[in-house]
Amino acid sequence: MSGELGYLGIGELQALYRSRRVSPVEVMDAVLERQERLEPRLNAFVTVLADPARAEARAAEARFARGEASGPLEGIPVSLKDIIDMAGVRTTAASRIWKDRVPERDATVTARLKAAGAILFGKANLLEFAYGIVHPDYGQVNNPWDTSRTSGGSSSGSAASVVAGIGCGSLGTDTGGSIRIPAAYCGAVGLKPTYGRVSRRGAGNLSWSLDHVGPLTRSVDDCARVLQVVAGHDPEDATSSRAPLPDYAAGLTGDVKGVRVGIVQEHLGPDLAPDVRTAFDAAMRLCADTLHVGECSIPLIEYADSALFGICLPEATVVHERRLSAHADDYAPMTRAQLEMGALVPVTDYLRAQQFRTLLRAEVDRAFERFDILAMPTVAFPAPAEDPEFGDAEAGASEARRTGPYDVTGHPAISVPCGFTGEGLPVGLQLVAPAFREDLLLQVAYAYEQRAGWFRMRPPLD
Amino acid sequence: MDGRIVDVDSVRAAVRLSGLGLSEERCLALLQTLAPMLDGIARLRDLDLQEIEPSGTPDPAGVSCDEARR
């Protein structure tokens, strides 16, 4: 029973709550039972808030009984990547440095989830400070489809837990692909919104000009509902946008006839695993039934790795500089090395990377003059045994090669499941939209998802 | 390893990293291990970017910069 309740979507649960056929208490109990049972295999959570979550569920049940439940996520179990602040609950960032850090304020996104009625039941495991490496104190999050492999990163616990039926959604962060990469490895839906669309206040700064906060869910519909709640202007985030907020879920009709999809040729390079290429090609053939699918070229993508690292390394070092001086030995060795290396990037290279960002953004925008949506595989390969180090110029760069460019430019991007390898590992399809067109991005992703049906697959955990 | 980085930036690095309390040996060890990434970053020097204004944040629609200026 816990499996069935754990896999219901937000819309389904709310209908069941309103008709009093299922109670938020039953759902919360099922989610917590599932979390406890699967945790030894997944290692997806740093902190579980079982008692407060059950109390919230009882309060939600009472609101439904009185007909007073009005929040868009009323009684819906949601987790937070443990780099996003929740008042009174420790935020560890999966690091020894923050093992006892308890914030006094909610992050803006946390406050919005609470106001919408979501039940925040846990803080999900991640790579240390979202910087690409597992800290040994916290350990790797294992992939629900093959627990001998990684869930990816850095929002690893977020992706693994939602795919395992532990919560309807989780909020993650994405600096070079940290929402979309684990989404691809685990078969989740992961959306990195436009830079400025979702507030970053209280969501653990890694690299201020690359960081994005966004949802990981099992379906595009759930993704739209969570995004709706957390998106929108925040006066406490200087880079937050006042761009109008559409009704994302209302646009999910499945009708996307005539939308032009451009396959970015530079993302079909020789590093693509054959099974990934096969799944991607099949997805594009399915899309071609209703959409105009064509070839698109963004030659500057070749240099996007350089810009990603040229910006992320020094910004992360500046963010961590004081902690690094005082507690260097408490970081995982490779996190420490990457942070120290950021001090070696000449300021001229940092500024050159920012100049390149101007060029790349313009070139991607030019691609959107011919196409409404861009498409490519999310990652070149399926989940490996361990996460490639971000600082690894080959494997680390290859993992983020198709996600990082859109952190650099800030365009919104989503990963949706598009099939499996011969070994039974999920493959992700990435779609990219013009700035602030998350509505179109979700519409196309939804239409594909409903036709392909991969999102209905469940990992072999029960 | 790219000669530019070993010869010039390693010295610069030793100076800079002394602010983090690191030894010169540690700085050079970092360069040995992580030089390929620094070489990758240095690839941007191959592009002619001199007329291009840098973007400090992505700000894709030019909206958030307007906000920051207010």
Side-chain angles (χ1 to χ4, degrees):
Chain A
M1 185 63 178
S2 78
E4 290 167 33
L5 287 179
Y7 280 102
L8 293 175
I10 295 171
E12 294 168 301
L13 280 177
Q14 293 213 311
L16 290 167
Y17 292 163
R18 289 204 180 86
S19 65
R20 310 288 301 279
R21 284 187 288 165
V22 171
S23 150
V25 175
E26 287 175 77
V27 171
M28 202 64 249
D29 283 343
V31 165
L32 291 170
E33 181 277 323
R34 205 165 166 74
Q35 186 280 327
E36 189 174 7
R37 181 160 50 85
L38 297 177
E39 185 65 7
R41 292 155 70 190
L42 296 178
N43 191 35
F45 286 87
V46 175
T47 301
V48 176
L49 304 162
D51 291 340
R54 286 196 170 96
E56 287 292 324
R58 286 193 295 274
E61 184 183 61
R63 285 195 295 275
F64 275 103
R66 293 195 302 268
E68 295 172 357
S70 58
L73 297 179
E74 200 82 53
I76 301 299
V78 175
S79 65
L80 299 172
K81 182 178 184 177
D82 197 24
I83 198 167
I84 300 173
D85 283 351
M86 182 174 175
V89 176
R90 67 178 184 151
T91 299
T92 69
S95 177
R96 197 177 294 165
I97 307 281
W98 275 10
K99 66 182 171 60
D100 298 317
R101 177 179 174 273
V102 178
E104 293 180 0
R105 288 186 70 194
D106 285 332
T108 297
V109 289
T110 306
R112 288 182 180 182
L113 286 170
K114 286 181 176 176
I119 301 176
L120 302 176
F121 69 93
K123 305 294 295 290
N125 200 354
L126 66 152
L127 302 180
E128 186 180 25
F129 281 112
Y131 206 15
I133 302 107
V134 169
H135 192 290
D137 289 1
Y138 297 84
Q140 174 168 298
V141 178
N142 299 318
N143 195 299
W145 293 91
D146 177 351
T147 53
S148 71
R149 293 173 185 262
T150 179
S151 287
S154 61
S155 306
S156 42
S158 296
S161 61
V162 297
V163 168
I166 305 167
C168 291
S170 186
L171 281 190
T173 61
D174 191 317
T175 303
S178 285
I179 288 174
R180 293 159 288 157
I181 292 168
Y185 285 169
C186 293
V189 173
L191 188 147
K192 180 204 80 70
T194 310
Y195 187 84
R197 176 80 291 178
V198 175
S199 170
R200 296 179 295 111
R201 190 194 64 76
N205 195 357
L206 170 62
S207 173
W208 57 83
S209 77
L210 294 167
D211 293 341
H212 302 72
V213 178
L216 293 103
T217 57
R218 285 186 296 275
S219 70
V220 174
D221 182 80
D222 285 352
C223 185
R225 291 170 189 266
V226 176
L227 180 66
Q228 193 77 52
V229 166
V230 297
H233 180 65
D234 175 11
E236 294 191 85
D237 176 351
T239 58
S240 175
S241 168
R242 289 183 190 272
L245 200 60
D247 184 339
Y248 295 120
L252 304 184
T253 62
D255 180 10
V256 288
K257 218 171 267 181
V259 170
R260 301 165 300 169
V261 175
I263 301 172
V264 180
Q265 298 303 297
E266 288 78 6
H267 286 317
L268 301 181
D271 59 335
L272 274 186
D275 281 358
V276 170
R277 180 64 194 255
T278 300
F280 175 74
D281 288 346
M284 289 299 96
R285 281 196 300 275
L286 189 65
C287 286
D289 289 347
T290 50
L291 307 171
H292 296 300
V293 178
E295 292 184 1
C296 166
S297 180
I298 306 176
L300 283 175
I301 286 283
E302 177 195 346
Y303 291 91
D305 292 347
S306 303
L308 178 70
F309 294 130
I311 293 169
C312 184
L313 263 69
E315 290 189 1
T317 299
V318 169
V319 167
H320 282 268
E321 198 166 18
R322 293 176 73 90
R323 293 190 285 266
L324 191 60
S325 294
H327 306 287
D329 290 340
D330 287 339
Y331 288 95
M334 196 62 194
T335 310
R336 174 182 172 178
Q338 288 177 184
L339 289 171
E340 290 170 347
M341 191 176 65
L344 308 183
V345 178
V347 68
T348 45
D349 281 346
Y350 175 63
L351 289 169
R352 203 172 280 115
Q354 293 186 347
Q355 289 176 302
F356 176 80
R357 169 149 56 198
T358 303
L359 275 188
L360 181 63
R361 188 180 62 202
E363 194 167 84
V364 173
D365 283 340
R366 272 196 297 279
F368 285 124
E369 291 171 6
R370 288 185 55 217
F371 296 100
D372 304 300
I373 292 285
L374 305 180
M376 69 285 302
T378 309
V379 190
F381 39 80
E386 295 178 356
D387 297 292
E389 287 165 349
F390 185 64
D392 183 325
E394 289 306 317
S398 179
E399 187 182 54
R401 184 156 293 143
R402 290 156 182 81
T403 50
Y406 309 103
D407 291 292
V408 172
T409 65
H411 291 91
I414 192 169
S415 181
V416 293
C418 73
F420 288 82
T421 66
E423 294 179 285
L425 298 169
V427 177
L429 163 67
Q430 182 173 232
L431 304 172
V432 182
F436 299 104
R437 289 307 311 273
E438 284 85 355
D439 54 340
L440 178 63
L441 190 64
L442 288 160
Q443 286 164 23
V444 174
Y446 178 81
Y448 169 74
E449 170 195 78
Q450 294 298 311
R451 290 202 70 199
W454 297 111
F455 76 111
R456 297 190 181 92
M457 302 287 283
R458 297 181 188 180
L461 291 167
D462 293 304
Chain B
M1 187 184 290
D2 189 316
R4 290 174 302 183
I5 289 175
V6 171
D7 295 340
V8 180
D9 292 339
S10 61
V11 176
R12 187 180 296 164
V15 174
R16 288 183 178 189
L17 285 180
S18 65
L20 293 175
L22 301 175
S23 68
E24 190 167 330
E25 288 77 14
R26 172 69 176 162
C27 300
L28 295 175
L30 283 170
L31 286 170
Q32 297 284 344
T33 306
L34 301 168
M37 182 180 280
L38 291 177
D39 289 347
I41 293 169
R43 287 183 66 225
L44 292 174
R45 298 173 193 174
D46 299 338
L47 298 173
D48 180 3
L49 298 168
Q50 62 182 334
E51 300 296 328
I52 308 298
E53 288 279 338
S55 297
T57 69
D59 190 22
V63 175
S64 49
C65 272
D66 292 343
E67 293 299 322
R69 286 189 201 105
R70 283 181 192 174

